[in-house]
Amino acid sequence: MIKQLILVLTLTLGQTVLAQTSPELNSAEILLGIKKLNTVGSVLYVAAHPDDENTRLLGYLAKEKNFRTGYLSLTRGDGGQNLIGKEQGEALGLIRTQELLAARRTDGAEQFFTRANDFGFSKNPEETFTIWNKDSILADVVLAIRRFKPDVIICRFPTTGEGGHGHHTASAILAMEAFDLAADPTKFPEQLKEVQVWQAKRIFWNTFNFGGTNTTSEDQIKLDAGTYNPLLGLNYGEVAANSRSMHKSQGFGSAKQRGETIEYFKFLKGEAASKDLFEGVNASWKRLPVTTDLESLIANCISTFNPQHPELSLPALETIYSKLQQLDEKDPNVRYWKNLKLAACQDLIIQCAGLWMESTISDYSAVPGNEISISTQIIARNTGNVKLKSVTFIGQTDKITNLPLTVNKLETIDQKEVLPKTTGYSAPYWLVEPHTVGMYTVKNQALIGKPENNAAKSVVYHLSIDGIDFNVERGLVFKSTDPVKGEVYRPFEILPPATITISDQVFVFNAIAPKEVSFVVKANQPNVKGTVKINVPAGWKIELKNPEINLEKKGSEQIVKAILTPDKTGKDGILRASVSIDGNDYTKSITRIEYDHIPYQFILSNAEAKIVFLDLKKTKNKIAYIPGAGDNVVACLTQIGYDVTLLTDELLAKEDLSVYSSIVTGVRAYNTNDRMPIYYDKLMAYVHQGGNLIVQYNTNNRIAPMETKIGPFPFTISRDRVTDDNAKVEFTDPKHPVLNTPNVITQKDFEGWVQERGIYFATEMDSHYETVFSMQDPNEKPSKGSLIIAKHGKGNFVYTGLVFFRELPAGIPGAYRLFVNLLSLPPNK
């Protein structure tokens, strides 16, 4: 039973463990928590991506209606674009996961996922289900429903396509099917070892009016989610803005809306309702087959709560806790709510007692088998009737203390422990195994749906408060003090003795000539001695200059250089690096992600890089790059021999641009750099005098409207795109220089592209623009706007929605050849 309570508390508070190890609630938040004890009902919101959720409605349901509220996002948003950095794919999915958790800490809902991988924009659910394994993702949705036991399910999108994105429509289709299947014991019976079948009462579509599409109707169920909550000092439009603004990588900073805001709901399936989402739902303790006075006890606790002295509510909360303990667990629904409310009540007792507990480690990382130093601190700030009976350190040492806590006196217990040699390395659980384009591999059913890992190691505090025993778990974290940011937390990392990081994810060769590559070996413990090993595909040769490693101090690094030489007989493939230490090969590299709005993150992955030999000709060499939202194109161009200058605002203002044969703007440069309009005339003059200006995609929508001129002649940036990365490309002007100079572009150059062909194509083009490609997704009209070129004076202007920012880092040969041709466009006579 104790283990169950610890588990439930961990699940309840786990979303804050990395950001704040010991939650500190003010009196208003405590009172909201007590009110929530008297609501025995839940609602699950379902959509496809981070930022799809209706944060206003989630906040209203969680903090006004006091329902247990969850958001099931089918994906982690891995296939989106990134407005704040260069991360793509898995790393972007990790950022967006943490942004969702930050949003949930704001609006009070809980967060869940499936194993679906966001592979990028999809135009219809049929395409989506050809890439996702529909049955597996459906099983995950069923599992989420069986675990969460929602009374009501709400879809953000309809099954009929008005949501636009194929993932959006797929999320509604899956929710509708799972609504029935979750109650069928013959469906996914392997889940029933952990959960019971569950039938939600009904499912709705939360209709919307945005983007020019109005799906609301006055005959739908309505509620005002703009209510003001005086305990929060906010209405739910303000809560929603704070929550939604956490989606910073997508540029979703939101204005606060105040006043009445009506939400609309279309009934889809289940027991019909005409006026209220929760018609016929008994959300009180009377819904359960229990005989108890819990409801009146909680109501009395609410009415007598003193915000100046929350400790005065301890006797009432302890009585409620005792009553909860006495509930019979034979009925699975009673057991479900008993464990949830026990965990919530325990947390409220801890908060009313003013208890603060934290366990920190002396260094942010350790290696299995190594000794670690733990500092455990506890203080009771509101009551003296608290005893710390014992402490369990990382699940292996119980230290008996029997320490009565004096009010407002901080107690510290230092402990040294040895990490078991069998301890696994830290890594996001969904990234441990190789995955497909459409789905992550998670073999442990208990992990499926969890937003993130539990803390790598934890400390359990065994307490007595007014004679009642409690067990409280705190994850181990590393804490430091930054002179600007103040206290900074980061997760405790369990790492191999050494990691090896390769200088680039892709090595691209365009000549039979050796290239120096480098590997950074970092010691995660003292006295690391070993040898670097590199494996390359047949036909490639690598010569290590200094393979022997000798690192005396933890954290020290050594750069190992090597000469990598291609051969025309060699095949493109994977370079693999490892460090051999005491007869064991360690193959992991580490990618670190640090932004102020989310907890510190990292990915431990195999030390691998793609190596590619290109049949590539180049003409001009000196180019410039204007940074945008973030991409890795500069590194890719440098690899094939270009001399690339980053044009900062200062250089753009002062530099003589004529020294560059071509200038490239990074993705979304015109969306993210508000000074681009200032440089319009200078850039157009550069083109007119003979330069090439290549503008990569920008967006033009309600979030990021395009309000400035880009090219020498008018055109419009649309939302047109081709998402099929194998879509046929027709050459509409095969003699155009961009298809012939200096590289002859053929259909083969469009083989192996990843995720998509292009996005945000040009439309409504002035007659001065030339097009060379036509492409389309299945059952759609051809589009010629993926690449447009205009002669302007002696030079050339190019706008392209082709996703070079994805293809170049992926080492796609044809993308390199085509991009070089853009850089090599000849001047006009």
Side-chain angles (χ1 to χ4, degrees), residues 709-769:
K709 292 188 292 184
I710 295 179
F713 311 106
F715 70 96
T716 299
I717 297 174
S718 73
R719 293 184 62 83
D720 293 352
R721 61 182 72 207
V722 173
T723 60
D724 182 354
D725 47 23
N726 295 308
K728 183 179 179 181
V729 179
E730 181 182 349
F731 296 1
T732 57
D733 186 2
K735 294 184 179 180
H736 195 284
V738 80
L739 298 178
N740 295 280
T741 305
N743 303 287
V744 177
I745 303 300
T746 69
Q747 290 291 339
K748 186 177 180 181
D749 289 300
F750 287 92
E751 294 177 1
W753 283 46
V754 297
Q755 188 161 323
E756 56 211 345
R757 290 290 192 206
I759 53 181
Y760 300 103
F761 289 178
T763 57
E764 302 176 8
M765 297 162 275
D766 184 273
S767 59
H768 287 86
Y769 287 103

Side-chain angles (χ1 to χ4, degrees), residues 330-524:
K330 292 178 182 177
D331 184 292
N333 294 328
V334 174
R335 182 167 64 249
Y336 169 79
W337 285 108
K338 172 182 177 177
N339 287 338
L340 283 173
K341 298 302 184 181
L342 272 172
C345 191
Q346 172 174 309
D347 187 40
L348 290 167
I349 290 170
I350 290 167
Q351 296 300 324
C352 287
L355 272 168
W356 178 90
M357 291 159 277
E358 181 176 88
S359 291
T360 58
I361 193 165
S362 59
D363 200 346
Y364 67 84
S365 69
V367 172
N370 284 4
E371 185 178 75
I372 58 175
S373 297
I374 301 170
S375 178
T376 290
Q377 293 189 315
I378 184 169
I379 186 171
R381 294 168 290 189
N382 271 359
T383 178
N385 200 13
V386 180
K387 179 187 287 187
L388 179 63
K389 299 172 69 176
S390 63
V391 182
T392 301
F393 290 93
I394 66 172
Q396 61 188 34
T397 300
D398 287 319
K399 187 165 186 175
I400 307 300
T401 54
N402 286 321
L403 176 66
L405 299 183
T406 302
V407 174
N408 213 31
K409 179 183 178 183
L410 182 67
E411 301 286 353
T412 301
I413 301 169
D414 294 324
Q415 180 76 7
K416 292 186 181 297
E417 295 284 333
V418 175
L419 278 179
K421 291 185 177 181
T422 55
T423 305
Y425 301 141
S426 301
Y429 74 86
W430 63 96
L431 299 179
V432 171
E433 300 286 342
H435 61 83
T436 66
V437 172
M439 198 170 108
Y440 287 112
T441 301
V442 182
K443 295 179 179 178
N444 183 351
Q445 178 179 285
L447 293 175
I448 294 173
K450 286 175 62 67
E452 62 180 341
N453 294 28
N454 289 338
K457 290 292 179 182
S458 298
V459 170
V460 179
Y461 299 71
H462 304 282
L463 303 166
S464 172
I465 303 175
D466 293 329
I468 302 175
D469 291 340
F470 297 95
N471 302 286
V472 181
E473 183 175 352
R474 292 285 184 258
L476 271 185
V477 293
F478 175 74
K479 182 172 70 173
S480 60
T481 303
D482 183 274
V484 175
K485 301 175 185 177
E487 283 191 343
V488 177
Y489 289 90
R490 63 187 293 175
F492 174 41
E493 305 172 8
I494 300 176
L495 302 176
T499 52
I500 181 166
T501 301
I502 308 174
S503 56
D504 292 281
Q505 292 181 330
V506 179
F507 292 107
V508 179
F509 290 76
N510 59 315
I512 302 296
K515 180 182 291 188
E516 185 175 81
V517 298
S518 61
F519 308 86
V520 179
V521 180
K522 183 170 184 176
N524 298 314

Side-chain angles (χ1 to χ4, degrees), residues 184-245:
D184 187 343
T186 69
K187 304 302 182 184
F188 311 114
E190 69 280 359
Q191 297 179 358
L192 301 181
K193 296 177 182 178
E194 175 198 341
V195 295
Q196 293 81 38
V197 295
W198 180 256
Q199 179 62 70
K201 186 171 285 288
R202 60 182 66 96
I203 183 169
F204 291 98
W205 165 29
N206 179 198
T207 56
F208 49 79
N209 181 8
F210 56 76
T213 301
N214 185 1
T215 61
T216 65
S217 172
E218 289 305 310
D219 62 356
Q220 296 169 359
I221 289 178
K222 295 177 286 185
L223 65 83
D224 178 11
T227 305
Y228 176 74
N229 188 320
L231 288 176
L232 300 175
L234 300 167
N235 84 335
Y236 292 102
E238 295 168 304
V239 171
N242 293 337
S243 176
R244 192 159 184 78
S245 295

